[in-house]
Amino acid sequence: MKYRLLAGVSALVTAAALSACSSGGDGAGEAGGATTVDVWLMRDSVSAAFQKEFTEGFEAAHPDIDVKIQIQEWDGIGQKITAALAGNDAPDVIEAGNTQVAQFAESGGLLDLSDRKDELDGGDWLKGLAEPGAYDGKQYGIPYYAANRVVVYRKDLFEEAGVDPAELTTREEWIAATTKLNRGGTQGIYLPGQLWYALAGFVWDEGGDLATESGGRWKGALDTPEALRGMAFYARLQALGKGPRDSDEDDPPQAEVMAQGQVAQVISTPGGANVVVENNPELKGKLGFFPIPGKTAGTPGAVFTGGSDLVVPAAAGHPDAALTFIEELTGDAWQKKLAVAMSYVPNRTSLAPAVADDPGASAMAVGAAHGHATPNTPGWAAVEAENPVKDYMTAVLTGGDAKQEAAKASADITRAMNAGS
Amino acid sequence: MPAVRERPAPRVHRPPKAPPGRRAGRPPRDLWPYALIAPAIGGMLYLLVYPLVRAVVISLQDFRLRQLISGDAEFVGLRNYRTLLSDPRFWEVTGRTFVFMAVDVVLIMVISTLVALMTERLHRVGRTVVLCSLVLAWAMPVVAATTVFQWLFHSEFGIVNQTLTGLGFGSFDRYPWFANGTASFTILVLLIVWQSVPFAAVTLYSALTTVPAELYESARLDGASASRVFRSVTFPMLRPIFMLVLSLEVIWTFKAFVQIWVMTRGGPGDATTILPVYAVQTALSSQRYDLGSAASMITVVLMSGVLVLHFRQMFRQEDDPR
Amino acid sequence: MTSPRFRIRRIPLNAAAVVTVVVCLFPVYWMISTAFKPSRDIQSAEPRLVPRSWTLDHFRRAVQADGFELFWRNSVLVTLGAVLLSLLVALGASFAVARLRWKGRRQFMLLVFVAQMAPWESLIIPIYIISRDTDMLDRLPTLTLVYFMITLPFTIVVLRGFLATIPPELEEAAQVDGCTRTGAFVRVALPLLAPGLMATSLFGFITAWNEFAYANFLIIKQQDNRTLPVWLSSFQNTFGTDWGATMAASTLFALPALVIFLLLQRHVTSGFAAGAVKG
């Protein structure tokens, strides 16, 4: 009886193994002279509908190119791209997050696209996307789309409390309004203790930075007076709600907390609002957006620019088709459609008006003009791997001495950024 | 008093027996062992020794993403080892790793032995239920388990804080467990122990099933207490598998990574940074494969330092004709 | 057998069993109940042991993921292949070590012990390089071989340990009765090895089934060759992780190990029945 079990399993394994072997190779699948361009896009960077529309439109305009899009997962994507760049058979186009693209640009594994910059209309690319994609004066990554945070708020709770978001143009007004909202069972703002992207924005507003460079050496800058003021503001804001002081915006996902109904504001990308409504359909139509307020009435708050670039591996099989693909996807026509479909900020500042009808995206675009990225050096990846900034924030919020903790965190940042050299 | 250390049947040195009949064309009997171990040796050489040699070579080179792509790398001798060993943080992290490992291993081995002993004595239904729950805990994906533990101890939404506050410990209202180094360390120890006990308990239990019942009976007939029975009868028979599981747990807790990475990233501060976390932070996050390789080699040396006694015992035991 | 005194003595034992089951299953229960909770209740201000409302949405999303069947097929192939290969090779090797006398036996066992310390997290790069140079990237058999190698040392040591507790006289008696050497081994020793086979099969299965780093690094362009752990991590996007779907997927992911255990456990107990051999 045991043997029958064993025999059955072996037969199953063998049969399946044979079928796997036959599908192991990449069947050339090229119909009559057409080249297939292999594209890697990240999970949810484009909706299924947009993907279909773009593929059909592109293939109609370029009949000799077939598009094959593979969706990659976020988990382990750094290693995956590494494996692709170092392999013999790389895809033709890869979407790389703007925080990761720097290390790949530096590696020698990407094609230098500097001479195509004019063709790709690179004059007014968003800095937060273009800079990480450049290395040593050469452009390797082409800006694809950007997103940053805004304040997502509950229109009905604001009305009840008598707050008009259009009047919240400075940080102090914002704090006052949030204090008004933070009563009864309502949280004025649900701000987790470790949303360091928001802290970065406040620090930049004060004129400080997370790390500064001098003479080729980076130093953590959390202990400067400017950065300390940024943290002080964060602490004031965080106290106006019940955000967990020892975790970040994913634990639990902010949108799900907001969906539970008693939260007046969160700091999130506008896409978060869709998640809120998904979880609680009663909130449909009750969510609004405004840009994060800055210190003075004329300037919106600085924000952290997230987003992606498109890169071409040096080992790509069809670099020309790859470039044609990139030209289309980062060109005016498709960028406008993409921004409207996905509520993104387009990759060029001149295209910002395209999203004027989308309240979330237009609020985002206001902030995007004041967007910053993290220090443009591969050493920053080491900082994010430890993230002393998060520890610093929790320490201050749970009663630690801000100056001491800031000095400690800055020392950690300095050490991490310079360890690899 | 029976000589309790004796094995169930007397061991007799037998000279190698002639097989029932030599068949033409078969390899001579003396080559059979080598034929039987050939696949194992072959596999180990190609999939373990050869990559290991290359990993050592990488640790002696300047090897980053660029070198992985381009293929050529420069030899820098022991520079990577020097970089690691001269970092004061490295030694602090190593010390913490030993503490973490010791606490985990002691807890895991004690609890799993007790669980194995208990399981053996249960009736069939109870035994199956316990074993099934052990297997489920073992099979639960690491990330899911880590996340659940994180949720349980969440400062705002966690059931632990809610229960403790409900029981009257008001100071735990909204208590941020992950802001405190010792608390985070403890939670991680709990998680690792919870995840590791099933494997150890199932393996020890299966070893326990080979202990013949007559030994227990004769020992009990002689009036031995339960703990005496364990010490003199059960444990000696269990010892080879026990030591094996112990050394494996030493190795695995030394290299625990995913749980810590997901839960605290080594924080707060360095409170939960052990060697594998340190290695990824300093090396792999910047694609420094050379440093990462060197860190692994150092870890192997440290682990073998701990296990050397076990190895010597194993080596000596091989002289034992069994 | 059921005298009151006997029953009372069993109370601490049964109590310990209950405690063990509860402690083991509480996080598992939390995972399963999360899989049935609507997203907004997953981490809520009032954590509840029993969900207020139930939904199958997460399970639906989990099984509707792209390539769902392929993931399962690949993982089953690779894992079962690795486990079977490992058992086969280990049986041969442990038989050689436990039953035969030959030169180099000690050194071989030492090599196997040391092999357990292999730093697999660092061997990824050399194995990637070797696979790249031999054109074995993007192929499932490569993964099978790696998982086989990861589980082999443990399997050899455990099987040898179990074999050592089985007196050779039993096989010799069977040979006197007319079995060949291998026949005696298969008929007599193998059933008694059942607990060891169960422990090593479970270990091999769970290790290979859960392995992510190698599967992520060695399977690159052939998305049809991806394995289940990739599916588990696919419910993350730019807004965070879809925990409901992840927990639903994790629940489904953990079940095969339980199935394997139940299948093997039956043979373990029947191994005892054959234990008239003992003594």
Side-chain angles (χ1 to χ4, degrees):
Chain A
M1 198 234 160
K2 200 191 329 268
Y3 304 119
R4 248 187 284 149
L5 173 69
L6 189 64
V9 170
S10 310
L12 182 68
V13 173
T14 319
L18 287 174
S19 70
C21 279
S22 61
S23 65
D26 185 8
E30 297 185 0
T35 20
T36 311
V37 64
D38 279 309
V39 178
W40 281 10
L41 294 180
M42 297 307 302
R43 164 74 52 195
D44 286 342
S45 95
V46 294
S47 63
F50 180 84
Q51 185 180 331
K52 190 155 171 277
E53 199 193 327
F54 179 81
T55 311
E56 285 171 3
F58 181 87
E59 287 181 348
H62 303 268
D64 55 334
I65 305 182
D66 281 334
V67 172
K68 183 164 157 225
I69 295 186
Q70 284 185 350
I71 305 291
Q72 298 294 343
E73 309 298 341
W74 285 99
D75 200 10
I77 187 61
Q79 287 83 348
K80 181 77 88 189
I81 297 182
T82 303
L85 293 181
N88 299 324
D89 182 23
D92 299 303
V93 180
I94 301 181
E95 174 193 339
N98 68 336
T99 49
Q100 291 179 325
V101 72
Q103 56 181 327
F104 297 121
E106 207 200 37
S107 68
L110 301 178
L111 271 189
D112 176 11
L113 301 173
S114 320
D115 49 353
R116 307 292 283 255
K117 202 166 153 183
D118 289 327
E119 280 169 55
L120 295 165
D121 222 356
D124 59 341
W125 276 334
L126 282 177
K127 255 182 31 163
L129 296 178
E131 269 179 15
Y135 174 71
D136 208 21
K138 307 201 184 89
Q139 192 72 30
Y140 294 94
I142 307 300
Y144 173 26
Y145 70 83
N148 46 262
R149 288 174 175 78
V150 298
V151 180
V152 180
Y153 72 97
R154 285 279 300 273
K155 291 192 204 162
D156 51 343
L157 293 177
F158 266 48
E159 249 182 71
E160 269 173 42
V163 176
D164 179 9
E167 289 176 12
L168 300 180
T169 49
T170 71
R171 294 197 331 200
E172 288 308 317
E173 287 168 5
W174 189 24
I175 291 261
T178 310
T179 319
K180 247 198 335 186
L181 288 157
N182 189 34
R183 59 180 52 133
T186 317
Q187 297 186 38
I189 183 169
Y190 174 84
L191 185 61
Q194 295 186 346
L195 223 193
W196 66 281
Y197 299 108
L199 173 68
F202 301 146
V203 168
W204 287 323
D205 271 342
E206 298 282 346
D209 205 335
L210 298 171
T212 48
E213 188 206 359
S214 79
R217 210 181 132 81
W218 286 87
K219 223 169 75 93
L222 284 174
D223 46 353
T224 54
E226 295 87 11
L228 286 169
R229 285 201 296 269
M231 182 66 217
F233 179 75
Y234 190 98
R236 283 170 69 200
L237 194 60
Q238 205 272 337
L240 299 172
K242 296 229 223 105
R245 289 162 290 162
D246 58 345
S247 58
D248 62 19
E249 70 277 16
D250 201 24
D251 177 32
Q254 283 189 127
E256 286 171 19
V257 179
M258 191 172 201
Q260 287 169 23
Q262 286 98 15
V263 170
Q265 306 172 81
V266 289
I267 299 180
S268 159
T269 55
N274 300 336
V275 181
V276 175
V277 169
E278 230 179 81
N279 282 308
N280 187 355
E282 292 172 27
L283 292 179
K284 192 169 162 72
K286 294 199 186 147
L287 295 174
F289 314 89
F290 60 87
I292 296 180
K295 284 191 78 175
T296 56
T299 352
V303 287
F304 176 84
T305 306
S308 296
D309 287 2
L310 293 172
V311 297
V312 180
H318 312 106
D320 293 316
L323 276 160
T324 316
F325 182 92
I326 293 183
E327 252 174 53
E328 288 281 356
L329 192 53
T330 59
D332 278 6
W334 285 107
Q335 276 290 307
K336 286 190 198 158
K337 292 211 183 106
L338 177 68
V340 168
M342 303 294 302
S343 291
Y344 286 152
V345 176
N347 60 357
R348 273 192 281 289
T349 43
S350 52
L351 295 176
V355 289
D357 292 331
D358 179 341
S362 48
M364 230 183 6
V366 170
H370 298 262
H372 295 235
T374 43
N376 185 22
T377 171
W380 185 256
V383 175
E384 286 201 26
E386 280 179 52
N387 221 319
V389 184
K390 284 188 176 180
D391 291 338
Y392 161 63
M393 294 166 78
T394 298
V396 171
L397 291 173
T398 50
D401 173 57
K403 278 220 190 78
Q404 257 178 7
E405 298 293 338
K408 205 161 67 152
S410 299
D412 283 336
I413 293 179
T414 312
R415 174 186 42 78
M417 288 186 87
N418 293 303
S421 45
Chain B
M1 174 78 178
V4 189
R5 285 191 177 264
E6 240 178 16
R7 287 179 213 99
R11 298 269 169 219
V12 171
H13 285 267
R14 287 186 194 274
K17 279 169 61 163
R22 280 291 281 280
R23 271 158 233 181
R26 276 223 178 147
R29 201 189 1 98
D30 317 327
L31 286 185
W32 258 121
Y34 301 100
L36 284 172
I37 66 166
I41 295 275
M44 283 197 275
L45 281 178
Y46 185 62
L47 294 166
L48 212 150
V49 175
Y50 180 36
L52 190 63
V53 167
R54 288 198 81 144
V56 172
V57 168
I58 288 178
S59 73
L60 299 171
Q61 295 174 320
D62 177 26
F63 201 97
R64 309 172 199 218
L65 180 53
R66 179 174 281 275
Q67 284 75 7
L68 181 64
I69 294 178
S70 66
D72 48 29
E74 189 201 322
F75 264 95
V76 292
L78 294 173
R79 189 185 73 184
N80 294 319
Y81 291 95
R82 259 201 296 273
T83 314
L84 288 173
L85 295 174
S86 60
D87 179 358
R89 221 176 133 232
F90 175 81
W91 293 105
E92 190 209 319
V93 167
T94 305
R96 189 176 302 117
T97 315
F98 274 100
V99 170
F100 181 73
M101 176 201 76
V103 172
D104 279 325
V105 171
V106 165
L107 284 173
I108 292 171
M109 295 315 292
V110 166
I111 297 178
S112 56
T113 310
L114 291 173
V115 169
L117 286 172
M118 170 197 82
T119 313
E120 206 212 358
R121 283 163 175 61
L122 288 172
H123 285 309
R124 220 189 84 200
V125 171
R127 201 185 313 142
T128 314
V129 167
V130 170
L131 284 175
C132 280
S133 30
L134 285 172
V135 169
L136 271 176
W138 186 5
M140 189 172 169
V142 175
V143 173
T146 312
T147 308
V148 166
F149 267 71
Q150 246 180 318
W151 289 350
L152 294 177
F153 285 93
H154 197 266
S155 57
E156 301 288 331
F157 305 117
I159 202 167
V160 170
N161 278 359
Q162 197 201 36
T163 317
L164 286 174
T165 322
L167 287 176
F169 296 97
S171 60
F172 281 100
D173 183 34
R174 300 179 70 205
Y175 180 73
W177 290 87
F178 296 104
N180 179 306
T182 318
S184 305
F185 191 89
T186 310
I187 295 176
L188 274 168
V189 167
L190 282 176
L191 172 62
I192 302 271
V193 169
W194 179 85
Q195 284 192 305
S196 309
V197 161
F199 158 74
V202 168
T203 309
L204 285 175
Y205 161 74
S206 50
L208 273 179
T209 60
T210 64
V211 177
E214 308 80 51
L215 280 189
Y216 287 134
E217 279 161 26
S218 59
R220 253 184 237 122
L221 281 177
D222 286 348
S225 70
S227 69
R228 187 76 215 279
V229 170
F230 177 74
R231 259 185 303 139
S232 314
V233 178
T234 324
F235 192 69
M237 297 228 59
L238 202 53
R239 184 191 274 140
I241 299 285
F242 183 90
M243 293 308 293
L244 168 68
V245 171
L246 180 100
S247 47
L248 280 176
E249 295 296 347
V250 166
I251 295 172
W252 292 338
T253 52
F254 217 82
K255 301 209 291 187
F257 172 75
V258 176
Q259 296 91 332
I260 305 181
W261 193 254
V262 169
M263 211 186 250
T264 60
R265 280 282 163 102
D270 270 349
T272 55
T273 305
I274 60 173
L275 268 177
V277 177
Y278 172 83
V280 170
Q281 284 173 350
T282 49
L284 295 174
S285 57
S286 341
Q287 315 262 50
R288 292 293 308 269
Y289 303 116
D290 44 2
L291 280 182
S293 216
S296 285
M297 298 308 152
I298 298 179
T299 307
V300 169
V301 169
L302 285 173
M303 284 193 308
S304 37
V306 174
L307 297 173
V308 74
L309 293 167
H310 174 44
F311 285 151
R312 261 200 287 164
Q313 191 201 45
M314 281 298 131
F315 205 65
R316 254 185 267 130
Q317 213 177 54
E318 281 315 306
D319 290 342
D320 217 334
R322 296 237 270 154
Chain C
M1 253 321 218
T2 49
S3 67
R5 199 148 152 242
F6 182 77
R7 252 188 268 138
I8 288 175
R9 257 147 130 238
R10 291 194 75 81
I11 287 180
L13 186 69
N14 291 333
V18 168
V19 168
T20 308
V21 170
V22 167
V23 169
C24 278
L25 288 187
F26 186 68
V28 178
Y29 168 75
W30 203 266
M31 168 181 80
I32 300 177
S33 67
T34 303
F36 286 105
K37 280 186 202 165
S39 287
R40 52 186 277 197
D41 286 342
I42 287 181
Q43 266 180 295
S44 74
E46 295 155 47
R48 305 164 69 93
L49 276 181
V50 180
R52 206 174 9 186
S53 48
W54 303 76
T55 172
L56 281 178
D57 272 346
H58 302 308
F59 281 97
R60 220 171 285 139
R61 254 204 311 281
V63 304
Q64 280 170 358
D66 285 330
F68 178 66
E69 295 87 23
L70 274 178
F71 286 130
W72 279 86
R73 182 201 77 170
N74 295 334
S75 270
V76 167
L77 265 186
V78 167
T79 304
L80 284 182
V83 170
L84 288 174
L85 192 57
S86 166
L87 281 179
L88 206 58
V89 172
L91 271 174
S94 53
F95 178 78
V97 174
R99 289 281 182 264
L100 307 174
R101 310 204 57 196
W102 40 282
K103 235 170 86 153
R105 210 178 61 161
R106 283 188 349 171
Q107 286 75 4
F108 175 72
M109 278 316 288
L110 188 64
L111 175 65
V112 171
F113 275 116
V114 171
Q116 279 166 168
M117 291 200 307
W120 288 102
E121 68 283 354
S122 270
L123 295 183
I124 268 197
I125 296 287
I127 290 183
Y128 170 84
I129 296 176
I130 296 169
S131 308
R132 177 181 66 187
D133 296 340
T134 54
D135 197 28
M136 288 294 282
L137 280 180
D138 258 336
R139 288 182 203 271
L140 287 178
T142 316
L143 275 186
T144 310
L145 286 176
V146 172
Y147 297 160
F148 151 69
M149 201 51 236
I150 293 179
T151 54
L152 185 66
F154 173 73
T155 313
I156 293 182
V157 175
V158 167
L159 289 182
R160 173 198 153 271
F162 275 80
L163 261 182
T165 65
I166 301 173
E169 288 72 27
L170 301 174
E171 288 156 66
E172 283 156 17
Q175 279 180 282
V176 164
D177 285 347
C179 288
T180 62
R181 186 127 196 215
T182 358
F185 179 76
V186 164
R187 246 172 267 251
V188 173
L190 215 49
L192 293 175
L193 274 183
L197 290 174
M198 175 185 83
T200 50
S201 308
L202 261 186
F203 169 76
F205 184 87
I206 292 181
T207 306
W209 193 253
N210 277 270
E211 204 286 323
F212 180 79
Y214 277 84
N216 187 45
F217 212 65
L218 296 179
I219 305 286
I220 310 168
K221 267 182 92 181
Q222 286 301 322
Q223 285 209 312
D224 289 345
N225 283 350
R226 288 182 299 175
T227 52
L228 272 182
V230 176
W231 170 65
L232 261 193
S233 70
S234 68
F235 303 102
Q236 294 175 29
N237 58 27
T238 34
F239 301 114
T241 315
D242 180 353
W243 286 115
T246 306
M247 290 299 168
S250 300
T251 308
L252 295 175
F253 185 84
L255 288 179
L258 186 65
V259 168
I260 300 267
F261 165 70
L262 290 171
L263 283 176
L264 293 175
Q265 165 74 337
R266 262 189 308 147
H267 295 287
V268 170
T269 33
S270 68
F272 292 131
V277 170
K278 283 231 195 306

